Amino acid sequence: MAEDQCGAVLEEHRFNQRALERYLEDRLPGFPTDSSQALAVGQYRYGRSNPTFHLQKGPKQYVLRKKPPGLLLPGTHQIAREYTVQRALTSVGFPVPRPLLYCEDTSVIGTEFYIMEHVQGRIFRYNTIAGVSPAEQCALNVAVSETLAWLHSLNLDELNLPGKDSQEGYCKREVLAWKELYEELCHVGIPSMNELSEWLLRNLPITDDEPKLLHGDFRIPNVIFHPTEARVVAVLDWELSSIGPPVADLAYFSVLSVMSTQTNTDGYKIEDLVSVYYCRRNVPPLLNDWNFFLALAFFKMAAYCQVLYSGSLLGNSNKKAHHLGEMVKPLAEHGLKLTKKTITVTKAEAGAPDATDELFLKSKKGDKILHQVKEFMKQYVYPSEQTASKEEAEYCGVLRAAQNLEPL
């Protein structure tokens, strides 16, 4: 993880470091026992819900996730779920930090916690990939879209998660859970939140298609990229994971990714994300009720902002989260707008097996450049094949073959 985003432990999250050190010496295999070196603890500035800490003793580095102190909101801060899911994903080779130890004993540092391996890499904190070249940005976006597809390709039976056979009716369960949590925490009534939740309950999908493990909060800040390669090395924060239709994760990730990028004709759009996702899964697009899941994503974000805002008032989450209370209404209103129009992603846009001929939809600028390249090939390259040497002809043949390649 990125240590440049790690600082001193916040006063409200301090704990007995020596007690933690003794506990790890007794129970964590490989933890250094050299008394000449003290355990160094830093706190990551992200991880609003469950405080996250960097641990180092000698050459060994670890990450600790714990429940926040004080009065907790019901049904939140499920670190036991995080630990269980990460352990299951580690067993099938999916990229997550390997969980090492879970502690239920609150007498050690005041709350339950777990220890996982430290993963070195890049983290982009604001739901978008910035500070890299456009080509690398595209490659990283493709990598994260493929990683979500990988998650949804996993066999639930192989993961052997507890309770997986009893989690039916995901959509209704999700709407009711967030509705109940929001209503319990809201300080000022917001009509659009009530209207949106009622619309969602009236328009629930008939069935939960192909239930899979869902991340529940899949977004750029919860991904660690390789330090130099366009590759995902770990997915973080499994607190909201559940069993349900993959399109729920896909819609949520799509909304956050597109909301966080500047609107332009050459950006990585929802169509591109969905195209890569379904090409990687190699299944027909299951985009029924796309409007519903986009609206659900906004409702969930609005309710989650209320949770974080309320947590900040209790002192359990980042104090800076107080501004998130102002986001609830506009998010709900935007979600409500989606319920009043039809939004679809065609099979061609989604990379379906019977799609036309494009993996990514071209912008006007890209289409113009492609036309210019084709004209150049016709005017200068293809005619040269008639008179070129054998080596040159082979090279031109490669160019022609490359132009006619089928989409991935």
Side-chain angles (χ1 to χ4, degrees):
M1 297 184 184
E3 271 54 74
D4 59 344
Q5 300 177 30
C6 190
V9 177
L10 299 175
E11 182 177 354
E12 61 268 27
H13 293 154
R14 289 178 183 172
F15 52 81
N16 189 328
Q17 296 184 16
R18 181 57 189 141
L20 173 64
E21 187 173 9
R22 288 194 298 266
Y23 183 87
L24 297 181
E25 287 175 349
D26 292 339
R27 291 171 174 80
L28 182 58
F31 187 83
T33 57
D34 183 2
S35 59
S36 65
Q37 294 180 309
L39 175 66
V41 181
Q43 184 171 4
Y44 289 101
R45 291 297 178 249
Y46 47 85
R48 292 170 175 161
S49 181
N50 292 324
T52 307
F53 305 84
H54 176 258
L55 311 179
Q56 182 162 7
K57 186 173 183 182
K60 295 282 190 175
Q61 298 184 73
Y62 307 92
V63 173
L64 180 151
R65 287 267 285 178
K66 77 180 193 73
K67 288 189 175 184
L71 180 65
L72 302 183
L73 302 170
T76 60
H77 312 290
Q78 300 294 321
I79 63 167
R81 177 185 297 175
E82 290 186 22
Y83 181 83
T84 299
V85 170
Q86 286 181 218
R87 187 171 58 182
L89 290 170
T90 298
S91 70
V92 296
F94 186 82
V96 292
R98 184 165 61 95
L100 304 173
L101 176 70
Y102 189 86
C103 176
E104 297 180 352
D105 186 354
T106 59
S107 68
V108 180
I109 64 171
T111 66
E112 297 176 43
F113 68 91
Y114 72 94
I115 304 293
M116 56 183 162
E117 69 175 352
H118 175 268
V119 178
Q120 187 65 44
R122 294 176 288 173
I123 297 179
F124 299 90
R125 296 311 324 161
Y126 299 105
N127 288 317
T128 188
I129 297 171
V132 300
S133 69
E136 186 176 11
Q137 186 181 60
C138 181
L140 292 171
N141 272 309
V142 169
V144 74
S145 301
E146 289 183 330
T147 300
L148 182 62
W150 181 2
L151 171 65
H152 294 159
S153 299
L154 297 176
N155 188 322
L156 276 179
D157 292 331
E158 293 181 3
L159 292 175
N160 196 29
L161 292 167
K164 67 179 179 62
D165 296 326
S166 60
Q167 298 197 39
E168 297 180 356
Y170 167 85
C171 294
K172 183 177 182 179
R173 190 174 70 245
E174 188 81 346
V175 175
L176 289 176
W178 286 105
K179 181 177 185 291
E180 180 181 353
L181 195 55
Y182 164 75
E183 290 176 348
E184 184 173 343
L185 299 174
C186 67
H187 299 79
V188 179
I190 300 177
S192 54
M193 279 294 283
N194 298 329
E195 190 176 347
L196 180 55
S197 65
E198 293 305 317
W199 183 91
L200 290 169
L201 289 173
R202 290 195 308 270
N203 292 273
L204 294 169
I206 298 175
T207 60
D208 287 349
D209 292 326
E210 52 153 7
K212 295 286 186 178
L213 174 63
L214 306 184
H215 182 278
D217 190 21
F218 194 86
R219 53 196 176 96
I220 296 295
N222 284 333
V223 170
I224 301 179
F225 293 96
H226 187 277
T228 58
E229 300 174 12
R231 178 162 57 89
V232 173
V233 294
V235 180
L236 309 173
D237 198 354
W238 295 86
E239 176 191 359
L240 299 179
S241 58
S242 184
I243 306 297
V247 67
D249 260 354
L250 180 62
Y252 182 84
F253 177 47
S254 300
V255 165
L256 280 172
S257 298
V258 174
M259 281 178 59
S260 303
T261 57
Q262 294 182 347
T263 302
N264 59 71
T265 57
D266 300 315
Y268 190 74
K269 303 183 291 293
I270 283 184
E271 303 97 296
D272 304 327
L273 188 159
V274 173
S275 173
V276 171
Y277 172 86
Y278 278 107
C279 285
R280 174 62 174 81
R281 287 195 65 193
N282 195 30
V283 297
L286 296 174
L287 294 169
N288 298 331
D289 304 299
W290 183 244
N291 284 57
F292 173 89
F293 287 103
L294 290 178
L296 175 61
F298 276 97
F299 178 69
K300 182 176 175 179
M301 284 188 291
Y304 193 46
C305 283
Q306 182 67 55
V307 170
L308 293 174
Y309 170 69
S310 300
S312 71
L313 297 180
L314 294 172
N316 295 335
S317 61
N318 193 322
K319 291 181 179 179
K320 295 180 180 179
H322 69 275
H323 73 280
L324 292 174
E326 302 172 359
M327 294 295 296
V328 178
K329 182 179 178 181
L331 285 170
E333 290 176 345
H334 198 93
L336 202 54
K337 288 179 182 178
L338 295 175
T339 69
K340 303 182 186 303
K341 58 176 149 179
T342 300
I343 300 175
T344 61
V345 178
T346 67
K347 289 185 177 181
E349 292 172 339
D354 59 343
T356 53
D357 65 347
E358 300 293 342
L359 175 60
F360 293 102
L361 298 183
K362 297 187 294 293
S363 65
K364 292 181 179 179
K365 180 179 178 181
D367 194 57
K368 179 180 178 181
I369 293 174
L370 179 59
H371 176 74
Q372 291 173 341
V373 170
K374 288 182 176 179
E375 289 301 311
F376 177 85
M377 297 284 285
K378 290 178 182 178
Q379 186 174 354
Y380 297 104
V381 178
Y382 299 155
S384 68
E385 292 185 30
Q386 305 299 323
T387 57
S389 64
K390 180 179 179 181
E391 291 80 6
E392 290 172 331
E394 289 176 351
Y395 176 71
C396 291
V398 169
L399 290 177
R400 175 172 288 182
Q403 185 192 23
N404 293 325
L405 280 175
E406 293 294 326
L408 295 176

